[in-house]
Amino acid sequence: QVQLVQSGAEVKKPGASVRVSCKTSGYTFTRNWIHWVRQAPGQGLEWMGIINPNGGATMYAQKFQGRVTVTRDTTTSTVHMELRSLRSDDTAIYYCARDHSNEMVVWWLDPWGQGTLVTVSS
Amino acid sequence: SSELTQDPAVSVALGQTVTITCQGDSLRTCYASWYQQKPGQAPVLVIYGKNNRPSGIPDRFSCSSSGNTASLTISGAQAEDEADYYCYSRHSSANHWVFGGGTKLTVL
């Protein structure tokens, strides 16, 4: 079955960088884009960015432009998300999710990774 | 603030029907998808497009769309449906995607 398995929890100091990985399996890696979504404690879901594993093209939310980079490794079917210049308000659970679209009028995410808690604290 | 607007909280009596709405300009050109999230768990897709449910999602979940509003309806709500629900769509600018702010559903 399709699975997205993320790397483990991280604790970082303000100003540092974090890299979260999302290893995919059970489907052809290059067929579906992968999104990154985060959720701060007690808050809603926030879309961060997307990568097309077939070629590596990316799009990012304006809020994270210049601070986030999403890459992919086709040899391991893994997507990585790096967030730099971390602040305390970057403390959140970070999720990857597999993208689907039907005729470009409906978009859905399924499945999701289990989430990775990133804690930013001095 | 989110570009998709949801009511923060909704309640429903056990066995009754409840509708959760999502409003935004992007919904005029794109259908929404809906996600259920229970405490401590990752979101789960419950329905998308024109009433498409993934396998394992009960048929008491349905959706509809009109103008700039998408709706998720739970017919005969069960205790296990108590959760946060999020709508999602591609922004009309086509260069990013957006979630609604989420609706906390309480089953009484």
Side-chain angles (χ1 to χ4, degrees), chain A residues 33 35 39 44-45 47 59 95 104-110 112-113, chain B residues 30-31 33 35 37 41-43 45 48-49 86 88 90 96-97 99:
Chain A
W33 299 359
H35 294 255
Q39 186 171 37
L45 302 173
W47 184 80
M59 283 188 277
Y95 295 101
M104 307 289 278
V105 294
V106 59
W107 303 80
W108 66 100
L109 300 173
D110 183 53
W112 294 57
Chain B
C30 291
Y31 290 94
S33 53
Y35 303 85
Q37 187 180 34
Q41 297 182 18
L45 174 70
Y48 61 95
Y86 294 91
Y88 169 80
R90 189 172 188 176
H96 65 279
W97 284 256
F99 287 94

PDB file of all heavy atoms in Angstrom, chain A residues 33 35 39 44-45 47 59 95 104-110 112-113, chain B residues 30-31 33 35 37 41-43 45 48-49 86 88 90 96-97 99:
ATOM      1  N   TRP A  33       2.845  14.715  -7.205  1.00  0.00           N
ATOM      2  CA  TRP A  33       3.521  15.757  -6.450  1.00  0.00           C
ATOM      3  C   TRP A  33       3.402  15.461  -4.955  1.00  0.00           C
ATOM      4  O   TRP A  33       2.509  14.723  -4.525  1.00  0.00           O
ATOM      5  CB  TRP A  33       2.884  17.114  -6.738  1.00  0.00           C
ATOM      6  CG  TRP A  33       2.945  17.536  -8.169  1.00  0.00           C
ATOM      7  CD1 TRP A  33       3.511  16.869  -9.221  1.00  0.00           C
ATOM      8  CD2 TRP A  33       2.384  18.723  -8.714  1.00  0.00           C
ATOM      9  NE1 TRP A  33       3.329  17.564 -10.378  1.00  0.00           N
ATOM     10  CE2 TRP A  33       2.655  18.720 -10.110  1.00  0.00           C
ATOM     11  CE3 TRP A  33       1.675  19.805  -8.177  1.00  0.00           C
ATOM     12  CZ2 TRP A  33       2.252  19.750 -10.946  1.00  0.00           C
ATOM     13  CZ3 TRP A  33       1.274  20.823  -9.019  1.00  0.00           C
ATOM     14  CH2 TRP A  33       1.558  20.790 -10.388  1.00  0.00           C
ATOM     15  N   HIS A  35       3.203  17.508  -1.201  1.00  0.00           N
ATOM     16  CA  HIS A  35       3.016  18.770  -0.491  1.00  0.00           C
ATOM     17  C   HIS A  35       3.612  18.689   0.907  1.00  0.00           C
ATOM     18  O   HIS A  35       3.706  17.611   1.494  1.00  0.00           O
ATOM     19  CB  HIS A  35       1.522  19.068  -0.322  1.00  0.00           C
ATOM     20  CG  HIS A  35       0.787  19.333  -1.580  1.00  0.00           C
ATOM     21  ND1 HIS A  35       0.395  20.602  -1.966  1.00  0.00           N
ATOM     22  CD2 HIS A  35       0.343  18.491  -2.535  1.00  0.00           C
ATOM     23  CE1 HIS A  35      -0.271  20.527  -3.109  1.00  0.00           C
ATOM     24  NE2 HIS A  35      -0.317  19.254  -3.471  1.00  0.00           N
ATOM     25  N   GLN A  39       1.372  22.373  11.173  1.00  0.00           N
ATOM     26  CA  GLN A  39       0.321  22.663  12.137  1.00  0.00           C
ATOM     27  C   GLN A  39       0.965  23.045  13.469  1.00  0.00           C
ATOM     28  O   GLN A  39       1.544  22.199  14.153  1.00  0.00           O
ATOM     29  CB  GLN A  39      -0.592  21.451  12.313  1.00  0.00           C
ATOM     30  CG  GLN A  39      -1.805  21.704  13.194  1.00  0.00           C
ATOM     31  CD  GLN A  39      -2.778  20.535  13.152  1.00  0.00           C
ATOM     32  OE1 GLN A  39      -2.375  19.370  13.089  1.00  0.00           O
ATOM     33  NE2 GLN A  39      -4.064  20.834  13.164  1.00  0.00           N
ATOM     34  N   GLY A  44      -4.591  25.514  13.108  1.00  0.00           N
ATOM     35  CA  GLY A  44      -5.038  24.791  11.934  1.00  0.00           C
ATOM     36  C   GLY A  44      -3.900  24.375  11.021  1.00  0.00           C
ATOM     37  O   GLY A  44      -2.722  24.552  11.333  1.00  0.00           O
ATOM     38  N   LEU A  45      -4.277  23.824   9.874  1.00  0.00           N
ATOM     39  CA  LEU A  45      -3.312  23.366   8.891  1.00  0.00           C
ATOM     40  C   LEU A  45      -2.872  24.519   8.016  1.00  0.00           C
ATOM     41  O   LEU A  45      -3.684  25.357   7.611  1.00  0.00           O
ATOM     42  CB  LEU A  45      -3.944  22.272   8.015  1.00  0.00           C
ATOM     43  CG  LEU A  45      -4.459  21.041   8.764  1.00  0.00           C
ATOM     44  CD1 LEU A  45      -5.205  20.121   7.812  1.00  0.00           C
ATOM     45  CD2 LEU A  45      -3.311  20.304   9.442  1.00  0.00           C
ATOM     46  N   TRP A  47      -0.562  25.384   4.537  1.00  0.00           N
ATOM     47  CA  TRP A  47       0.153  24.874   3.380  1.00  0.00           C
ATOM     48  C   TRP A  47       1.487  25.600   3.215  1.00  0.00           C
ATOM     49  O   TRP A  47       1.556  26.836   3.302  1.00  0.00           O
ATOM     50  CB  TRP A  47      -0.675  25.083   2.114  1.00  0.00           C
ATOM     51  CG  TRP A  47      -0.060  24.517   0.892  1.00  0.00           C
ATOM     52  CD1 TRP A  47      -0.071  23.215   0.492  1.00  0.00           C
ATOM     53  CD2 TRP A  47       0.699  25.232  -0.100  1.00  0.00           C
ATOM     54  NE1 TRP A  47       0.628  23.063  -0.684  1.00  0.00           N
ATOM     55  CE2 TRP A  47       1.103  24.279  -1.076  1.00  0.00           C
ATOM     56  CE3 TRP A  47       1.076  26.559  -0.277  1.00  0.00           C
ATOM     57  CZ2 TRP A  47       1.856  24.633  -2.200  1.00  0.00           C
ATOM     58  CZ3 TRP A  47       1.824  26.917  -1.385  1.00  0.00           C
ATOM     59  CH2 TRP A  47       2.207  25.958  -2.332  1.00  0.00           C
ATOM     60  N   MET A  59       6.937  24.957  -5.764  1.00  0.00           N
ATOM     61  CA  MET A  59       6.202  26.191  -5.482  1.00  0.00           C
ATOM     62  C   MET A  59       6.085  26.290  -3.973  1.00  0.00           C
ATOM     63  O   MET A  59       5.874  25.284  -3.304  1.00  0.00           O
ATOM     64  CB  MET A  59       4.808  26.176  -6.121  1.00  0.00           C
ATOM     65  CG  MET A  59       4.791  26.443  -7.606  1.00  0.00           C
ATOM     66  SD  MET A  59       3.123  26.638  -8.268  1.00  0.00           S
ATOM     67  CE  MET A  59       2.675  24.921  -8.498  1.00  0.00           C
ATOM     68  N   TYR A  95       3.907  17.929   8.128  1.00  0.00           N
ATOM     69  CA  TYR A  95       3.394  16.764   7.413  1.00  0.00           C
ATOM     70  C   TYR A  95       3.766  16.830   5.938  1.00  0.00           C
ATOM     71  O   TYR A  95       3.740  17.911   5.338  1.00  0.00           O
ATOM     72  CB  TYR A  95       1.867  16.723   7.469  1.00  0.00           C
ATOM     73  CG  TYR A  95       1.246  16.522   8.829  1.00  0.00           C
ATOM     74  CD1 TYR A  95       0.716  17.604   9.539  1.00  0.00           C
ATOM     75  CD2 TYR A  95       1.133  15.256   9.393  1.00  0.00           C
ATOM     76  CE1 TYR A  95       0.115  17.429  10.773  1.00  0.00           C
ATOM     77  CE2 TYR A  95       0.528  15.069  10.634  1.00  0.00           C
ATOM     78  CZ  TYR A  95       0.026  16.165  11.310  1.00  0.00           C
ATOM     79  OH  TYR A  95      -0.580  15.979  12.536  1.00  0.00           O
ATOM     80  N   MET A 104      -7.698  19.083 -13.046  1.00  0.00           N
ATOM     81  CA  MET A 104      -7.275  20.385 -12.521  1.00  0.00           C
ATOM     82  C   MET A 104      -8.424  21.188 -11.922  1.00  0.00           C
ATOM     83  O   MET A 104      -8.347  22.407 -11.818  1.00  0.00           O
ATOM     84  CB  MET A 104      -6.593  21.212 -13.624  1.00  0.00           C
ATOM     85  CG  MET A 104      -5.466  20.484 -14.323  1.00  0.00           C
ATOM     86  SD  MET A 104      -4.019  20.277 -13.268  1.00  0.00           S
ATOM     87  CE  MET A 104      -3.246  21.875 -13.478  1.00  0.00           C
ATOM     88  N   VAL A 105      -9.504  20.514 -11.518  1.00  0.00           N
ATOM     89  CA  VAL A 105     -10.587  21.247 -10.862  1.00  0.00           C
ATOM     90  C   VAL A 105     -10.841  20.745  -9.458  1.00  0.00           C
ATOM     91  O   VAL A 105     -11.623  21.337  -8.717  1.00  0.00           O
ATOM     92  CB  VAL A 105     -11.897  21.210 -11.678  1.00  0.00           C
ATOM     93  CG1 VAL A 105     -11.730  21.966 -12.973  1.00  0.00           C
ATOM     94  CG2 VAL A 105     -12.369  19.792 -11.905  1.00  0.00           C
ATOM     95  N   VAL A 106     -10.238  19.642  -9.098  1.00  0.00           N
ATOM     96  CA  VAL A 106     -10.325  19.176  -7.722  1.00  0.00           C
ATOM     97  C   VAL A 106      -8.965  18.611  -7.319  1.00  0.00           C
ATOM     98  O   VAL A 106      -8.309  17.922  -8.108  1.00  0.00           O
ATOM     99  CB  VAL A 106     -11.454  18.142  -7.513  1.00  0.00           C
ATOM    100  CG1 VAL A 106     -11.257  16.927  -8.383  1.00  0.00           C
ATOM    101  CG2 VAL A 106     -11.547  17.737  -6.049  1.00  0.00           C
ATOM    102  N   TRP A 107      -8.560  18.959  -6.125  1.00  0.00           N
ATOM    103  CA  TRP A 107      -7.252  18.576  -5.605  1.00  0.00           C
ATOM    104  C   TRP A 107      -7.458  17.926  -4.243  1.00  0.00           C
ATOM    105  O   TRP A 107      -8.238  18.409  -3.431  1.00  0.00           O
ATOM    106  CB  TRP A 107      -6.365  19.816  -5.452  1.00  0.00           C
ATOM    107  CG  TRP A 107      -6.190  20.567  -6.721  1.00  0.00           C
ATOM    108  CD1 TRP A 107      -7.059  21.442  -7.285  1.00  0.00           C
ATOM    109  CD2 TRP A 107      -5.082  20.508  -7.622  1.00  0.00           C
ATOM    110  NE1 TRP A 107      -6.578  21.914  -8.467  1.00  0.00           N
ATOM    111  CE2 TRP A 107      -5.368  21.375  -8.702  1.00  0.00           C
ATOM    112  CE3 TRP A 107      -3.883  19.808  -7.613  1.00  0.00           C
ATOM    113  CZ2 TRP A 107      -4.481  21.547  -9.772  1.00  0.00           C
ATOM    114  CZ3 TRP A 107      -2.996  19.993  -8.664  1.00  0.00           C
ATOM    115  CH2 TRP A 107      -3.289  20.846  -9.729  1.00  0.00           C
ATOM    116  N   TRP A 108      -6.730  16.828  -4.021  1.00  0.00           N
ATOM    117  CA  TRP A 108      -6.831  16.201  -2.716  1.00  0.00           C
ATOM    118  C   TRP A 108      -5.507  15.587  -2.297  1.00  0.00           C
ATOM    119  O   TRP A 108      -4.638  15.337  -3.143  1.00  0.00           O
ATOM    120  CB  TRP A 108      -7.970  15.176  -2.668  1.00  0.00           C
ATOM    121  CG  TRP A 108      -7.848  13.957  -3.516  1.00  0.00           C
ATOM    122  CD1 TRP A 108      -7.451  12.711  -3.114  1.00  0.00           C
ATOM    123  CD2 TRP A 108      -8.176  13.831  -4.906  1.00  0.00           C
ATOM    124  NE1 TRP A 108      -7.487  11.830  -4.167  1.00  0.00           N
ATOM    125  CE2 TRP A 108      -7.939  12.471  -5.281  1.00  0.00           C
ATOM    126  CE3 TRP A 108      -8.639  14.716  -5.889  1.00  0.00           C
ATOM    127  CZ2 TRP A 108      -8.159  11.999  -6.563  1.00  0.00           C
ATOM    128  CZ3 TRP A 108      -8.856  14.239  -7.179  1.00  0.00           C
ATOM    129  CH2 TRP A 108      -8.625  12.901  -7.506  1.00  0.00           C
ATOM    130  N   LEU A 109      -5.352  15.373  -1.009  1.00  0.00           N
ATOM    131  CA  LEU A 109      -4.117  14.883  -0.416  1.00  0.00           C
ATOM    132  C   LEU A 109      -4.384  13.545   0.264  1.00  0.00           C
ATOM    133  O   LEU A 109      -5.176  13.453   1.188  1.00  0.00           O
ATOM    134  CB  LEU A 109      -3.597  15.885   0.625  1.00  0.00           C
ATOM    135  CG  LEU A 109      -3.290  17.288   0.109  1.00  0.00           C
ATOM    136  CD1 LEU A 109      -2.959  18.225   1.268  1.00  0.00           C
ATOM    137  CD2 LEU A 109      -2.142  17.249  -0.874  1.00  0.00           C
ATOM    138  N   ASP A 110      -3.698  12.511  -0.210  1.00  0.00           N
ATOM    139  CA  ASP A 110      -3.901  11.185   0.353  1.00  0.00           C
ATOM    140  C   ASP A 110      -2.838  10.229  -0.140  1.00  0.00           C
ATOM    141  O   ASP A 110      -2.621  10.145  -1.355  1.00  0.00           O
ATOM    142  CB  ASP A 110      -5.283  10.652  -0.079  1.00  0.00           C
ATOM    143  CG  ASP A 110      -5.620   9.298   0.522  1.00  0.00           C
ATOM    144  OD1 ASP A 110      -5.533   9.175   1.771  1.00  0.00           O
ATOM    145  OD2 ASP A 110      -5.956   8.376  -0.235  1.00  0.00           O
ATOM    146  N   TRP A 112      -1.289  10.916   4.016  1.00  0.00           N
ATOM    147  CA  TRP A 112      -0.407  11.844   4.713  1.00  0.00           C
ATOM    148  C   TRP A 112       0.676  11.052   5.449  1.00  0.00           C
ATOM    149  O   TRP A 112       0.446   9.910   5.860  1.00  0.00           O
ATOM    150  CB  TRP A 112      -1.191  12.661   5.733  1.00  0.00           C
ATOM    151  CG  TRP A 112      -2.201  13.592   5.140  1.00  0.00           C
ATOM    152  CD1 TRP A 112      -3.245  13.275   4.314  1.00  0.00           C
ATOM    153  CD2 TRP A 112      -2.283  15.003   5.356  1.00  0.00           C
ATOM    154  NE1 TRP A 112      -3.972  14.406   3.999  1.00  0.00           N
ATOM    155  CE2 TRP A 112      -3.411  15.479   4.628  1.00  0.00           C
ATOM    156  CE3 TRP A 112      -1.541  15.920   6.092  1.00  0.00           C
ATOM    157  CZ2 TRP A 112      -3.781  16.824   4.605  1.00  0.00           C
ATOM    158  CZ3 TRP A 112      -1.918  17.261   6.081  1.00  0.00           C
ATOM    159  CH2 TRP A 112      -3.020  17.697   5.342  1.00  0.00           C
ATOM    160  N   GLY A 113       1.818  11.683   5.630  1.00  0.00           N
ATOM    161  CA  GLY A 113       2.797  11.115   6.527  1.00  0.00           C
ATOM    162  C   GLY A 113       2.307  11.216   7.970  1.00  0.00           C
ATOM    163  O   GLY A 113       1.304  11.877   8.252  1.00  0.00           O
TER     164      GLY A 113
ATOM    165  N   CYS B  30     -12.683  25.618  -8.426  1.00  0.00           N
ATOM    166  CA  CYS B  30     -12.176  24.321  -7.994  1.00  0.00           C
ATOM    167  C   CYS B  30     -13.076  23.733  -6.914  1.00  0.00           C
ATOM    168  O   CYS B  30     -13.580  24.464  -6.067  1.00  0.00           O
ATOM    169  CB  CYS B  30     -10.769  24.442  -7.397  1.00  0.00           C
ATOM    170  SG  CYS B  30      -9.507  24.851  -8.597  1.00  0.00           S
ATOM    171  N   TYR B  31     -13.254  22.429  -6.955  1.00  0.00           N
ATOM    172  CA  TYR B  31     -13.962  21.762  -5.877  1.00  0.00           C
ATOM    173  C   TYR B  31     -13.049  21.645  -4.661  1.00  0.00           C
ATOM    174  O   TYR B  31     -11.833  21.624  -4.771  1.00  0.00           O
ATOM    175  CB  TYR B  31     -14.383  20.357  -6.308  1.00  0.00           C
ATOM    176  CG  TYR B  31     -15.475  20.330  -7.343  1.00  0.00           C
ATOM    177  CD1 TYR B  31     -15.178  20.256  -8.692  1.00  0.00           C
ATOM    178  CD2 TYR B  31     -16.815  20.356  -6.957  1.00  0.00           C
ATOM    179  CE1 TYR B  31     -16.179  20.224  -9.650  1.00  0.00           C
ATOM    180  CE2 TYR B  31     -17.825  20.327  -7.901  1.00  0.00           C
ATOM    181  CZ  TYR B  31     -17.496  20.255  -9.245  1.00  0.00           C
ATOM    182  OH  TYR B  31     -18.496  20.216 -10.183  1.00  0.00           O
ATOM    183  N   SER B  33     -11.711  19.549  -1.181  1.00  0.00           N
ATOM    184  CA  SER B  33     -11.601  18.246  -0.536  1.00  0.00           C
ATOM    185  C   SER B  33     -11.661  18.496   0.965  1.00  0.00           C
ATOM    186  O   SER B  33     -11.385  19.612   1.426  1.00  0.00           O
ATOM    187  CB  SER B  33     -10.318  17.505  -0.935  1.00  0.00           C
ATOM    188  OG  SER B  33      -9.177  18.301  -0.734  1.00  0.00           O
ATOM    189  N   TYR B  35     -10.963  17.018   5.095  1.00  0.00           N
ATOM    190  CA  TYR B  35     -10.098  16.201   5.932  1.00  0.00           C
ATOM    191  C   TYR B  35     -10.624  16.190   7.352  1.00  0.00           C
ATOM    192  O   TYR B  35     -11.055  17.217   7.883  1.00  0.00           O
ATOM    193  CB  TYR B  35      -8.657  16.741   5.894  1.00  0.00           C
ATOM    194  CG  TYR B  35      -8.171  16.768   4.472  1.00  0.00           C
ATOM    195  CD1 TYR B  35      -8.465  17.858   3.659  1.00  0.00           C
ATOM    196  CD2 TYR B  35      -7.515  15.676   3.909  1.00  0.00           C
ATOM    197  CE1 TYR B  35      -8.110  17.860   2.319  1.00  0.00           C
ATOM    198  CE2 TYR B  35      -7.149  15.673   2.583  1.00  0.00           C
ATOM    199  CZ  TYR B  35      -7.459  16.762   1.800  1.00  0.00           C
ATOM    200  OH  TYR B  35      -7.120  16.757   0.468  1.00  0.00           O
ATOM    201  N   GLN B  37      -9.517  15.374  11.262  1.00  0.00           N
ATOM    202  CA  GLN B  37      -8.350  15.221  12.116  1.00  0.00           C
ATOM    203  C   GLN B  37      -8.778  15.050  13.558  1.00  0.00           C
ATOM    204  O   GLN B  37      -9.441  15.920  14.120  1.00  0.00           O
ATOM    205  CB  GLN B  37      -7.402  16.422  12.000  1.00  0.00           C
ATOM    206  CG  GLN B  37      -6.097  16.205  12.747  1.00  0.00           C
ATOM    207  CD  GLN B  37      -5.145  17.373  12.646  1.00  0.00           C
ATOM    208  OE1 GLN B  37      -5.567  18.523  12.602  1.00  0.00           O
ATOM    209  NE2 GLN B  37      -3.844  17.089  12.614  1.00  0.00           N
ATOM    210  N   GLN B  41      -3.516  12.890  15.828  1.00  0.00           N
ATOM    211  CA  GLN B  41      -3.414  12.113  14.597  1.00  0.00           C
ATOM    212  C   GLN B  41      -3.226  13.013  13.394  1.00  0.00           C
ATOM    213  O   GLN B  41      -3.560  14.191  13.412  1.00  0.00           O
ATOM    214  CB  GLN B  41      -4.679  11.269  14.406  1.00  0.00           C
ATOM    215  CG  GLN B  41      -4.910  10.241  15.495  1.00  0.00           C
ATOM    216  CD  GLN B  41      -6.141   9.398  15.229  1.00  0.00           C
ATOM    217  OE1 GLN B  41      -6.654   9.317  14.111  1.00  0.00           O
ATOM    218  NE2 GLN B  41      -6.624   8.717  16.272  1.00  0.00           N
ATOM    219  N   ALA B  42      -2.684  12.426  12.326  1.00  0.00           N
ATOM    220  CA  ALA B  42      -2.571  13.153  11.063  1.00  0.00           C
ATOM    221  C   ALA B  42      -3.956  13.292  10.433  1.00  0.00           C
ATOM    222  O   ALA B  42      -4.854  12.485  10.689  1.00  0.00           O
ATOM    223  CB  ALA B  42      -1.638  12.409  10.119  1.00  0.00           C
ATOM    224  N   PRO B  43      -4.135  14.322   9.620  1.00  0.00           N
ATOM    225  CA  PRO B  43      -5.415  14.448   8.902  1.00  0.00           C
ATOM    226  C   PRO B  43      -5.670  13.247   8.000  1.00  0.00           C
ATOM    227  O   PRO B  43      -4.742  12.610   7.495  1.00  0.00           O
ATOM    228  CB  PRO B  43      -5.231  15.722   8.079  1.00  0.00           C
ATOM    229  CG  PRO B  43      -4.171  16.483   8.796  1.00  0.00           C
ATOM    230  CD  PRO B  43      -3.238  15.440   9.341  1.00  0.00           C
ATOM    231  N   LEU B  45      -8.187  12.088   4.650  1.00  0.00           N
ATOM    232  CA  LEU B  45      -9.123  12.498   3.599  1.00  0.00           C
ATOM    233  C   LEU B  45     -10.457  11.788   3.802  1.00  0.00           C
ATOM    234  O   LEU B  45     -10.502  10.560   3.942  1.00  0.00           O
ATOM    235  CB  LEU B  45      -8.548  12.124   2.233  1.00  0.00           C
ATOM    236  CG  LEU B  45      -9.439  12.348   1.022  1.00  0.00           C
ATOM    237  CD1 LEU B  45      -9.614  13.846   0.743  1.00  0.00           C
ATOM    238  CD2 LEU B  45      -8.863  11.634  -0.200  1.00  0.00           C
ATOM    239  N   TYR B  48     -13.927  14.202  -1.552  1.00  0.00           N
ATOM    240  CA  TYR B  48     -13.361  15.192  -2.475  1.00  0.00           C
ATOM    241  C   TYR B  48     -14.195  15.274  -3.744  1.00  0.00           C
ATOM    242  O   TYR B  48     -14.883  14.320  -4.119  1.00  0.00           O
ATOM    243  CB  TYR B  48     -11.901  14.854  -2.805  1.00  0.00           C
ATOM    244  CG  TYR B  48     -11.701  13.520  -3.476  1.00  0.00           C
ATOM    245  CD1 TYR B  48     -11.619  13.412  -4.854  1.00  0.00           C
ATOM    246  CD2 TYR B  48     -11.569  12.357  -2.718  1.00  0.00           C
ATOM    247  CE1 TYR B  48     -11.423  12.180  -5.471  1.00  0.00           C
ATOM    248  CE2 TYR B  48     -11.378  11.122  -3.307  1.00  0.00           C
ATOM    249  CZ  TYR B  48     -11.304  11.042  -4.688  1.00  0.00           C
ATOM    250  OH  TYR B  48     -11.112   9.819  -5.279  1.00  0.00           O
ATOM    251  N   GLY B  49     -14.111  16.435  -4.391  1.00  0.00           N
ATOM    252  CA  GLY B  49     -14.793  16.627  -5.664  1.00  0.00           C
ATOM    253  C   GLY B  49     -16.296  16.430  -5.557  1.00  0.00           C
ATOM    254  O   GLY B  49     -16.946  16.917  -4.634  1.00  0.00           O
ATOM    255  N   TYR B  86     -11.313  20.098   7.989  1.00  0.00           N
ATOM    256  CA  TYR B  86     -10.678  21.144   7.191  1.00  0.00           C
ATOM    257  C   TYR B  86     -11.067  20.973   5.720  1.00  0.00           C
ATOM    258  O   TYR B  86     -11.044  19.862   5.191  1.00  0.00           O
ATOM    259  CB  TYR B  86      -9.156  21.057   7.289  1.00  0.00           C
ATOM    260  CG  TYR B  86      -8.606  21.338   8.664  1.00  0.00           C
ATOM    261  CD1 TYR B  86      -8.417  20.313   9.587  1.00  0.00           C
ATOM    262  CD2 TYR B  86      -8.262  22.637   9.040  1.00  0.00           C
ATOM    263  CE1 TYR B  86      -7.922  20.566  10.846  1.00  0.00           C
ATOM    264  CE2 TYR B  86      -7.753  22.901  10.302  1.00  0.00           C
ATOM    265  CZ  TYR B  86      -7.591  21.860  11.201  1.00  0.00           C
ATOM    266  OH  TYR B  86      -7.087  22.122  12.452  1.00  0.00           O
ATOM    267  N   TYR B  88     -10.072  22.230   1.705  1.00  0.00           N
ATOM    268  CA  TYR B  88      -8.788  22.455   1.013  1.00  0.00           C
ATOM    269  C   TYR B  88      -9.065  22.626  -0.467  1.00  0.00           C
ATOM    270  O   TYR B  88      -9.931  21.957  -1.051  1.00  0.00           O
ATOM    271  CB  TYR B  88      -7.908  21.230   1.249  1.00  0.00           C
ATOM    272  CG  TYR B  88      -6.645  21.113   0.437  1.00  0.00           C
ATOM    273  CD1 TYR B  88      -5.498  21.812   0.793  1.00  0.00           C
ATOM    274  CD2 TYR B  88      -6.588  20.260  -0.663  1.00  0.00           C
ATOM    275  CE1 TYR B  88      -4.323  21.671   0.069  1.00  0.00           C
ATOM    276  CE2 TYR B  88      -5.420  20.116  -1.391  1.00  0.00           C
ATOM    277  CZ  TYR B  88      -4.291  20.813  -1.021  1.00  0.00           C
ATOM    278  OH  TYR B  88      -3.133  20.666  -1.737  1.00  0.00           O
ATOM    279  N   ARG B  90      -7.118  24.463  -4.347  1.00  0.00           N
ATOM    280  CA  ARG B  90      -6.058  25.254  -4.973  1.00  0.00           C
ATOM    281  C   ARG B  90      -6.547  26.691  -5.102  1.00  0.00           C
ATOM    282  O   ARG B  90      -7.699  26.933  -5.467  1.00  0.00           O
ATOM    283  CB  ARG B  90      -5.701  24.701  -6.343  1.00  0.00           C
ATOM    284  CG  ARG B  90      -4.462  25.362  -6.941  1.00  0.00           C
ATOM    285  CD  ARG B  90      -4.005  24.667  -8.209  1.00  0.00           C
ATOM    286  NE  ARG B  90      -2.716  25.194  -8.656  1.00  0.00           N
ATOM    287  CZ  ARG B  90      -2.040  24.721  -9.700  1.00  0.00           C
ATOM    288  NH1 ARG B  90      -2.534  23.708 -10.397  1.00  0.00           N
ATOM    289  NH2 ARG B  90      -0.885  25.251 -10.042  1.00  0.00           N
ATOM    290  N   HIS B  96      -0.663  28.524  -5.414  1.00  0.00           N
ATOM    291  CA  HIS B  96      -0.566  27.928  -4.101  1.00  0.00           C
ATOM    292  C   HIS B  96      -1.895  27.258  -3.742  1.00  0.00           C
ATOM    293  O   HIS B  96      -2.888  27.401  -4.460  1.00  0.00           O
ATOM    294  CB  HIS B  96      -0.127  28.937  -3.034  1.00  0.00           C
ATOM    295  CG  HIS B  96      -1.104  30.038  -2.775  1.00  0.00           C
ATOM    296  ND1 HIS B  96      -1.201  31.168  -3.575  1.00  0.00           N
ATOM    297  CD2 HIS B  96      -2.022  30.211  -1.794  1.00  0.00           C
ATOM    298  CE1 HIS B  96      -2.122  31.967  -3.077  1.00  0.00           C
ATOM    299  NE2 HIS B  96      -2.641  31.420  -2.006  1.00  0.00           N
ATOM    300  N   TRP B  97      -1.834  26.525  -2.660  1.00  0.00           N
ATOM    301  CA  TRP B  97      -3.002  25.801  -2.172  1.00  0.00           C
ATOM    302  C   TRP B  97      -3.375  26.319  -0.782  1.00  0.00           C
ATOM    303  O   TRP B  97      -2.524  26.912  -0.101  1.00  0.00           O
ATOM    304  CB  TRP B  97      -2.679  24.308  -2.106  1.00  0.00           C
ATOM    305  CG  TRP B  97      -2.674  23.627  -3.443  1.00  0.00           C
ATOM    306  CD1 TRP B  97      -3.632  22.813  -3.962  1.00  0.00           C
ATOM    307  CD2 TRP B  97      -1.633  23.690  -4.443  1.00  0.00           C
ATOM    308  NE1 TRP B  97      -3.273  22.384  -5.206  1.00  0.00           N
ATOM    309  CE2 TRP B  97      -2.049  22.901  -5.535  1.00  0.00           C
ATOM    310  CE3 TRP B  97      -0.402  24.345  -4.531  1.00  0.00           C
ATOM    311  CZ2 TRP B  97      -1.290  22.733  -6.698  1.00  0.00           C
ATOM    312  CZ3 TRP B  97       0.367  24.196  -5.684  1.00  0.00           C
ATOM    313  CH2 TRP B  97      -0.080  23.397  -6.743  1.00  0.00           C
ATOM    314  N   PHE B  99      -5.895  25.872   2.963  1.00  0.00           N
ATOM    315  CA  PHE B  99      -6.813  25.176   3.853  1.00  0.00           C
ATOM    316  C   PHE B  99      -7.757  26.191   4.488  1.00  0.00           C
ATOM    317  O   PHE B  99      -7.379  27.352   4.703  1.00  0.00           O
ATOM    318  CB  PHE B  99      -6.046  24.479   4.990  1.00  0.00           C
ATOM    319  CG  PHE B  99      -5.285  23.266   4.560  1.00  0.00           C
ATOM    320  CD1 PHE B  99      -3.948  23.362   4.217  1.00  0.00           C
ATOM    321  CD2 PHE B  99      -5.887  22.025   4.513  1.00  0.00           C
ATOM    322  CE1 PHE B  99      -3.236  22.255   3.822  1.00  0.00           C
ATOM    323  CE2 PHE B  99      -5.183  20.899   4.122  1.00  0.00           C
ATOM    324  CZ  PHE B  99      -3.851  21.022   3.778  1.00  0.00           C
TER     325      PHE B  99
END
